[in-house]
Amino acid sequence: MAEIPFTLSVPDTELELLRTKLELTQLPDELEDAKWDYGVPLGDTRRLLARWKDGFDWRAAEAKINAIPQFTRDIEVDGFGTLNIHYIHQKSQVKNAIPLFFSHGWPGHFMEVSKLLPLLTAESADHPSFHVVAFSLPGYGFSEAPKKRGFGLRQYAEVGHKLMVALGYDEYIAQGGDWGFGIVRTMASLYGERHVKAWHTNFPFMYKPSLSAHPLIWLRDLVTPYTAEERQHSERAAWFVKKSYGYWAEHATMPQTVGYSLADSPVGLLAWIYEKLVIWSDDYPWTDDEVLTWISIYWFSRAGPAASLRIYYEFGTEEGQADWAKLKSPTIPFGLSYFAKELPFVRLFWTRVLGNLVFQSTHDSGGHFVAHEKPELLVGDIRKMFGSGGPAFGVIPGRDGYAGK
Amino acid sequence: MAEKPFTLAVPDADLELLRKKLELTRLPDELEGSKWDYGVPLEDIKRLVAKWKDGFDWRAAEAKINAIPQFTRDIEVEGHGTLNVHYVHQKSELQNAIPLLFVHGWPGHFMEVAKLLPLLTAVAPDQPSFHVVAFSLPGFGFSEAPKEKGFAISQYAEVGHKLMLALGYNEYVTQGGDWGFLITRVIAQKYGGKHAKAWHTNFPVTGPPSLTYSPGLFLRFLVTPFSAEEKKGIERTMWFRSKGRGYFEEQSTNPQTLGYSLADSPAGLLAWIHEKLVTWTDGYPWTDDESEYFCVVKGDMSSKPVLTPSPLIVEVLTWISIYWFSRPGPAASVRIYYEASTAKDWDKTQYVPIPFGISLFPKELARVPKLWTRAIGKLVFASEHESGGHFAAHEKPAELADDLKKMFGVGGPAFGIVTGKSGYTAA
């Protein structure tokens, strides 16, 4: 099937509706000296709102997005019919480049891959090159949303996998963070060995290994004192549970209820997502236009912002939880990059439980949106893992990522 | 400090802005067959938004609200300066009526007392009569909101107490549900004996922390000797704990982030609150039936009939409108969750020695074993009902009023608790 090019072109009427809504925005008050304690500060919201209304040029942002090669294609999903999937597909000049599937999460989107593209597709004798495919998750960006209940990680994985195969990448590797971690791990488990040859994540979401399942790791955990870095990570994770978990609880129980707000109020959507962009990243110096582009992708998304929340609900159901718990641990090579301000807490000797760990690295900077915050660090790790001398070098026969010998 | 009569009169400009925003409402899609599982169904919101935009008569609702005597007065709160507090004050014709302070919660408001007023202030030889005071919590309804951080349960209690004193009620009793339970509990703890003489609640929950640690185990252990009704109560508690607390988690950690949505989107605010009105009540018929529309034919039969919303839709839209048009805006109301979660100045476990009464309704959000309620305070009255939920004053006013009359009436465990104000004509 030939690729159908996609050009983002938000209708004028939608821009007009957004503008009208922004002009009618009614803001709340704020407690004195609230800072970030109660949520997004009013000063930030006012400033972003003013810029969004007057100064932010969506057409310019759209043009930048369109500089990246995007396409759509229909993918059949078992039990869910056909979904029209939007994706980026940037090929390398290197014919034998390694096909890499990138999956974003929430509140991420397909453009999170954009800073990685020139780095991953670059040709060099010193590092491998990749063909990159990054889809909009169904229900996000410009992919269609599922219409029925029960669309869980298994289904997102099915879409990702079928997309790669449809593009002629019968064998490929996968990289993801946030929900992208869950998706690529599921892909690695379900399609590993035959199709997925290795996987990598920057989001090691796991619980402490249990005594019954992993006694040696459990014992080691008991007797090994925490390092300073581990303490910091652990505090970050505790902070998340204490202070930053509310959105998850609502998404996982009543996504439709909060969805009405996010679909109807630009400033409501802005606050809901911007809060995460700031507190989950590692002091990333967001520019207002960067933020507004990010939020606008959600605002103008094909399925609307409410659809993006349902992944939490489906994961939280009994079926969703059982599916995840009983997913066979992938056997293919697995790599982890652990950044300083990422949200989950793991000790480096736990992570082999997630998969066949062949590569692990830590960094003293970078947060949750690391592909956007520290693209060179993330790509550096991927190059180390797959490059000549690396633990996953040549994992795809005939596609080692280097120009012909 | 003078009392000023209050008449609700929302400016035309506010009505106009609401109408404009409703017209621009952008709705999400919905999954097939989601019903109430994912939150408020799309069909409900579509219907309510349509009626709010076109047909709901706010001025008529406002007039009904204004039929109830309301006032404002300044109340000084330690560390927070002066707040202008809005309240309902309906006196009984009987001078010796029992002064009662009614305290609402979230997403409640002062009008939750409305149905109780005629029942509690009625004068009859066989039942006690009450003077009723119901304030808008600071940050809710038409009370000013606090401007500084840290306005928590003790501060709300201080406002309620000082209001009663300012009205000349040196001794009084209280009734509260939801946050009103915690607020009246602190009133009883701090001002009990000397001023607060007895207290009653329909929400006798000892507070989230108690249920947080091994709730399943603990409750299951206690549930064994209990009845089928009580088991249903545990089910309900577990439902709330696992499915119903998303709003709580967000409101107690990032109320401002959520607040932007609630302040800016009428449909968003509607969904956020309507979800509770439906899922927290016991089948209260908020949703309308098309057949309950009534049709007014204007002029001759050739004109188009004018449909007006059913009274039940009017109820919901009035409720939400009170939040939308509230003096400090809806975002202020959710801060109570943050402040209560972070405040360290009140003891959730302190036993309260003044007479305490409870009314249990089966669809309340949490059902704690009666044994636990005895740990809250000096339990002298307990009643259980076959139906009713979280908004008991609105859903079951007759039952709730009856319980208060039993508790405070002749032969009741708190009869004559307020000096010289038994609620009956002096013998």
Side-chain angles (χ1 to χ4, degrees), chain B residues 207-225:
Chain B
S210 308
L211 289 171
T212 298
Y213 306 104
S214 345
L217 267 169
F218 191 77
L219 290 171
R220 239 163 252 131
F221 168 71
L222 287 173
V223 92
T224 319

Side-chain angles (χ1 to χ4, degrees), chain A residues 21 24-26 29 32-33 38 40 42 147 149 243 256-257 260 263-265 275 299 310 314, chain B residues 21 24-26 29 32-33 37-38 40 42 147 149 253-254 256-257 260 264-265 275 335 339:
Chain A
K21 279 176 167 292
L24 294 179
T25 295
Q26 188 161 259
D29 69 348
E32 278 168 26
D33 201 34
Y38 291 72
V40 180
L42 185 55
K147 295 188 178 18
R149 308 169 61 149
K243 258 296 271 182
Q256 191 71 5
T257 294
Y260 293 106
D264 189 49
S265 169
E275 184 203 282
W299 182 259
R310 293 167 194 154
E314 305 299 355
Chain B
K21 281 176 164 293
L24 296 175
T25 297
R26 192 177 77 153
D29 69 347
E32 285 165 22
D37 295 348
Y38 290 70
V40 185
L42 183 58
K147 296 192 177 10
K149 308 193 281 195
T253 55
N254 291 291
Q256 190 70 6
T257 296
Y260 294 105
D264 188 49
S265 169
E275 184 206 283
R335 290 172 193 149
E339 302 296 2

Side-chain angles (χ1 to χ4, degrees), chain B residues 52 66 82 111-112 128 131 162 180 183 220 223 236 258 264 308 352 363 383 388-389 393 405 416:
Chain B
W52 203 0
N66 284 329
T82 301
M111 283 297 284
E112 272 186 274
H131 300 307
K162 284 182 169 171
I183 294 166
R220 239 163 252 131
V223 92
R236 176 82 167 157
L258 171 67
D264 188 49
T308 58
V352 180
K363 284 288 168 67
S383 94
K405 290 171 189 176

Side-chain angles (χ1 to χ4, degrees), chain A residues 88-100:
Chain A
I88 284 172
H89 185 194
Q90 178 122 69
K91 291 182 85 113
S92 161
Q93 302 268 28
V94 177
K95 210 162 73 82
N96 297 337
I98 305 165
L100 182 151

Side-chain angles (χ1 to χ4, degrees), chain A residues 14-32:
Chain A
E14 288 201 37
L15 288 181
E16 189 52 36
L17 176 63
L18 172 60
R19 198 190 53 79
T20 311
K21 279 176 167 292
L22 290 172
E23 274 171 14
L24 294 179
T25 295
Q26 188 161 259
L27 289 171
D29 69 348
E30 184 182 58
L31 294 176
E32 278 168 26

Side-chain angles (χ1 to χ4, degrees), chain B residues 113-351:
Chain B
V113 80
K115 297 186 189 184
L116 293 177
L117 292 175
L119 303 172
L120 291 177
T121 58
V123 179
D126 61 345
Q127 60 184 315
S129 189
F130 299 81
H131 300 307
V132 182
V133 178
F135 68 129
S136 286
L137 294 179
F140 291 68
F142 305 100
S143 286
E144 232 185 319
K147 296 192 177 10
E148 284 154 18
K149 308 193 281 195
F151 196 100
I153 306 299
S154 299
Q155 284 66 42
Y156 291 102
E158 188 181 335
V159 169
H161 168 66
K162 284 182 169 171
L163 177 59
M164 292 307 269
L165 293 187
L167 292 175
Y169 300 132
N170 192 53
E171 293 184 357
Y172 56 86
V173 304
T174 66
Q175 202 291 326
D178 195 83
W179 287 113
F181 159 67
L182 287 173
I183 294 166
T184 54
R185 184 182 189 181
V186 171
I187 288 177
Q189 285 170 350
K190 290 195 143 149
Y191 316 110
K194 182 150 186 255
H195 298 287
K197 306 299 282 182
W199 62 303
H200 176 280
T201 188
N202 48 294
F203 188 74
V205 176
T206 60
S210 308
L211 289 171
T212 298
Y213 306 104
S214 345
L217 267 169
F218 191 77
L219 290 171
R220 239 163 252 131
F221 168 71
L222 287 173
V223 92
T224 319
F226 287 85
S227 64
E229 287 86 18
E230 269 152 338
K231 276 185 195 143
K232 270 223 165 85
I234 306 300
E235 248 178 65
R236 176 82 167 157
T237 308
M238 297 325 286
W239 162 81
F240 179 70
R241 170 114 175 72
S242 65
K243 268 289 278 181
R245 277 176 54 107
Y247 81 102
F248 189 105
E249 298 293 335
E250 182 66 9
Q251 289 174 200
S252 52
T253 55
N254 291 291
Q256 190 70 6
T257 296
L258 171 67
Y260 294 105
S261 289
L262 301 183
D264 188 49
S265 169
L269 176 70
L270 169 67
W272 198 255
I273 293 180
H274 184 60
E275 184 206 283
K276 306 314 181 195
L277 297 185
V278 173
T279 61
W280 290 5
T281 53
D282 187 6
Y284 186 83
W286 300 100
T287 52
D288 73 331
D289 187 322
E290 286 302 313
S291 65
E292 289 190 53
Y293 268 111
F294 55 93
C295 173
V296 174
V297 178
K298 290 198 176 252
D300 63 57
M301 301 302 269
S302 63
S303 349
K304 274 173 76 170
V306 173
L307 293 175
T308 58
S310 77
L312 300 160
I313 288 287
V314 169
E315 241 178 320
V316 173
L317 296 176
T318 304
W319 195 293
I320 310 299
S321 295
I322 287 174
Y323 267 84
W324 182 260
F325 293 129
S326 62
R327 182 171 175 175
S333 73
V334 298
R335 290 172 193 149
I336 188 171
Y337 288 80
Y338 181 99
E339 302 296 2
S341 302
T342 53
K344 300 200 189 338
D345 72 335
W346 59 294
D347 185 351
K348 296 167 188 138
T349 60
Q350 181 195 344
Y351 180 84

